[in-house]
């Protein structure tokens, strides 16, 4: 366990040094507690980065399996290395591809969307058929570092304004989606949990 703790610290330090966005501590606590409480045993993650959240989710319980998708080769290779170091190759499946090109048959208890923030609706619609009845779709970064709460004119960059608009559209999409009960949590960078009715 001490070994695991220092390996996790190493992954977090690497992410910081290389400027790779990974879940913040209270976000990952929320996610792993949710997994534990809801007895989640299978997870599909969109956006592996270097495998940090996939490893943290798999470590909640030895019965949990995670499939995770990453389109950036360097990050995918780093995730592969990290998953091997944790000896989780039999429980974490890494897919190197753009998630929008991936079609899966398998069903999961939890789908965790943590990839390109402008494309969350697409990811949701593409993978919702992979969700078990009663399963949950969880999305991170709905506050987008506080920018979503700001007035548009306060955001100087045009690109960022566009991105924030898309995150707001995604929030409305979740609120209006009658097939799911969605709750929003002011934890980490803003997390939604959508439970399939
Ligand atoms: N879930 C990771 C964690 O907390 O450890 C962090 C993921 S990071 C916020 C988002 C990742 O999604 C990036 O590494 C990015 O390359 C990847 N990504 C973005 N769009 C993607 C897509 N369409 N398909 C696959 N990966 C994508």
């Amino acid at each position: 366990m001490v070994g695991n703790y220092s390996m996790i610290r190493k992954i977090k330090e690497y992410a910081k040094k290389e400027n790779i966005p990974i879940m913040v501590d209270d976000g990952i606590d929320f996610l792993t507690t949710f997994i534990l409480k809801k007895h989640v045993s299978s997870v599909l993650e969109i956006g592996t980065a270097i495998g940090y959240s996939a490893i943290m989710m798999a470590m909640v319980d030895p019965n949990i399996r995670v499939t995770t998708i990453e389109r950036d080769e360097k990050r995918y290779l780093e995730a592969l290395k990290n998953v091997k170091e944790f000896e989780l190759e039999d429980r974490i499946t890494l897919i190197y591809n753009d998630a929008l090109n991936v079609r899966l048959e398998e069903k999961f208890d939890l789908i965790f969307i943590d990839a390109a923030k402008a494309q969350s609706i697409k990811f949701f619609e593409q993978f919702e058929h992979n969700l078990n009845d009663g399963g949950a779709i969880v999305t991170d970064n709905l506050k987008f570092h506080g920018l979503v709460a700001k007035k548009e004119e306060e955001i100087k960059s045009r690109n960022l304004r566009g991105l924030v608009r898309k995150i707001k559209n995604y929030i409305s999409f979740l609120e209006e989606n009658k097939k799911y009960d969605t709750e929003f949590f002011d934890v980490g960078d803003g997390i939604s949990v959508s439970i399939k009715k």
Side-chain angles (χ1 to χ4, degrees):
M1 212 53 204
V2 174
N4 278 353
Y5 184 75
S6 76
M7 286 191 318
I8 285 290
R9 207 178 52 209
K10 248 178 59 192
I11 295 180
K12 287 166 84 172
E13 281 167 4
Y14 177 93
K16 199 168 177 191
K17 182 167 72 73
E18 299 288 324
N19 246 326
I20 296 166
I22 59 170
M23 279 199 104
V24 294
D25 289 346
D26 53 346
I28 201 83
D29 285 349
F30 177 90
L31 186 62
T32 50
T33 303
F34 180 86
I35 287 173
L36 190 67
K37 275 194 187 155
K38 299 283 177 184
H39 307 289
V40 166
S41 64
S42 54
V43 182
L44 171 64
E45 177 183 59
I46 320 297
T48 318
I50 57 174
Y52 169 66
S53 51
I55 290 169
M56 293 297 281
M57 290 190 282
M59 287 200 315
V60 171
D61 185 282
N63 291 316
I64 295 173
R65 293 184 174 274
V66 180
T67 296
T68 177
I69 310 173
E70 175 57 53
R71 69 176 173 190
D72 180 280
E73 186 180 17
K74 190 169 172 218
R75 292 181 183 181
Y76 160 78
L77 291 173
E78 189 65 26
L80 207 56
K81 192 186 99 200
N82 288 331
V83 166
K84 277 194 186 139
E85 272 182 29
F86 277 83
E87 298 179 355
L88 286 169
E89 308 96 297
D90 56 335
R91 295 201 287 120
I92 299 182
T93 304
L94 293 142
I95 300 175
Y96 169 46
N97 204 339
D98 190 311
L100 295 173
N101 297 328
V102 175
R103 300 286 179 273
L104 299 170
E105 293 302 321
E106 205 181 330
K107 300 243 183 203
F108 300 86
D109 296 334
L110 171 70
I111 297 179
F112 176 43
I113 301 179
D114 192 20
K117 305 302 159 190
Q119 292 178 316
S120 297
I121 295 183
K122 281 192 188 161
F123 297 135
F124 192 108
E125 289 181 335
Q126 178 166 331
F127 292 106
E128 63 174 328
H129 79 274
N130 295 102
L131 191 64
N132 280 322
D133 286 340
I137 299 184
V138 171
T139 312
D140 191 25
N141 301 111
L142 296 179
K143 292 201 291 185
F144 206 66
H145 321 297
L147 289 180
V148 173
K150 284 198 170 169
K151 291 197 185 98
E152 273 210 10
E153 54 273 24
E154 286 178 290
I155 304 169
K156 297 281 170 274
S157 147
R158 195 165 160 236
N159 282 349
L160 271 182
R161 271 201 308 276
L163 185 54
V164 165
R165 215 171 290 143
K166 289 202 165 140
I167 295 173
K168 285 181 178 166
N169 284 345
Y170 181 62
I171 292 170
S172 307
F173 163 84
L174 293 177
E175 284 169 342
E176 288 157 17
N177 195 326
K178 299 278 176 275
K179 289 186 282 176
Y180 296 81
D181 279 323
T182 296
E183 265 191 273
F184 297 91
F185 295 89
D186 189 8
V187 60
D189 195 25
I191 293 179
S192 62
V193 176
S194 308
I195 309 272
K196 193 171 172 183
K197 288 182 190 170

